[in-house]
Amino acid sequence: MTGGQVALMESRISPVPADAARGPLATVFPSVTDHHCAPSLADQQLVANPSILYRRWLALRSELLTSEALPADLRELAILRVAHNTGCDQEWRGHWRAAIAAGVPEAMIASWKTSPAAVWPDARWAVVVALADALHRRGAVDDAIWDQLRHHFDVPLILELVVLVGHYTISAYVLNAVGEP
């Protein structure tokens, strides 16, 4: 378990099984699952309970996951940092393979379990981790981190990173609150 997650023996709500999904969910689960190269993820199945909420949540998540502006290594690194900071094992497991496939070294990811203050070989990675950490700790970004972000990224990409961190923080809170199936 990462961070400070509360251990639950079972989920507090029942997920919508991918093979039992009806209506719009019947086509959505398989397409999103393709991104992860694995069966439908628990967070998708849990949030699908109120289908209107799921469609809105999924629309944003899909945009963030398929953005051509945000490189995959930065996206997955930010998501894993959120998972680490929030103690959300489901997000961690769901994005571990995607991060490695995007070029983030497995040993570096694994080192977070014992040494969260890793040395980053890429300055862009370091500032993305600093952004996720600052938002987790304070819900804000200080001038020093903002200046580093501006050095590497344009404003639209910075905003996309902030929204990505916020979105995955919400997902982690949901998973941690209701328990992972």
Side-chain angles (χ1 to χ4, degrees), residues 43 61 80 83 88-95 168 171-172 175:
D43 59 346
R61 178 168 278 206
L80 282 181
C88 187
D89 284 339
Q90 178 62 37
E91 289 292 5
W92 183 269
R93 288 188 308 271
H95 288 274
Y168 276 87
S171 293
L175 289 168

Side-chain angles (χ1 to χ4, degrees), residues 4-135:
Q5 182 180 12
V6 174
L8 297 175
M9 296 307 290
E10 60 185 55
S11 179
R12 291 176 172 142
I13 62 174
S14 297
V16 175
D19 59 354
R22 301 287 180 257
L25 295 179
T27 58
V28 171
F29 280 156
S31 64
V32 174
T33 300
D34 285 346
H35 169 77
H36 295 281
C37 304
S40 185
L41 299 174
D43 59 346
Q44 297 166 20
Q45 294 176 2
L46 288 170
V47 177
N49 272 286
S51 63
I52 188 75
L53 174 62
Y54 180 71
R55 287 194 306 269
R56 292 176 179 154
W57 174 85
L58 182 61
L60 178 57
R61 178 168 278 206
S62 296
E63 287 297 318
L64 293 168
L65 286 176
T66 61
S67 170
E68 293 181 13
L70 185 59
D73 61 335
L74 299 176
R75 178 190 65 233
E76 296 302 330
L77 188 65
I79 294 168
L80 282 181
R81 195 57 172 199
V82 167
H84 174 77
N85 286 340
T86 59
C88 187
D89 284 339
Q90 178 62 37
E91 289 292 5
W92 183 269
R93 288 188 308 271
H95 288 274
W96 172 276
R97 285 186 305 269
I100 294 167
V104 180
E106 185 172 0
M108 184 169 292
I109 298 167
S111 74
W112 285 351
K113 299 285 186 180
T114 56
S115 176
V119 175
W120 302 101
D122 181 327
R124 298 171 318 131
W125 290 1
V127 73
V128 166
V129 169
L131 169 68
D133 289 351
L135 290 171

Side-chain angles (χ1 to χ4, degrees), residues 70 73-75 77-78 81 85 108 112 118-138 140-154 157-158 161-162 165:
L70 185 59
D73 61 335
L74 299 176
R75 178 190 65 233
L77 188 65
R81 195 57 172 199
N85 286 340
M108 184 169 292
W112 285 351
V119 175
W120 302 101
D122 181 327
R124 298 171 318 131
W125 290 1
V127 73
V128 166
V129 169
L131 169 68
D133 289 351
L135 290 171
H136 178 72
R137 282 192 308 273
R138 299 183 304 277
V141 178
D142 63 29
D143 289 339
I145 293 172
W146 185 261
D147 290 344
Q148 291 174 37
L149 287 163
R150 286 293 290 138
H151 178 74
H152 296 285
F153 311 115
D154 61 14
L157 195 58
I158 295 169
L161 281 164
V162 170
V165 169

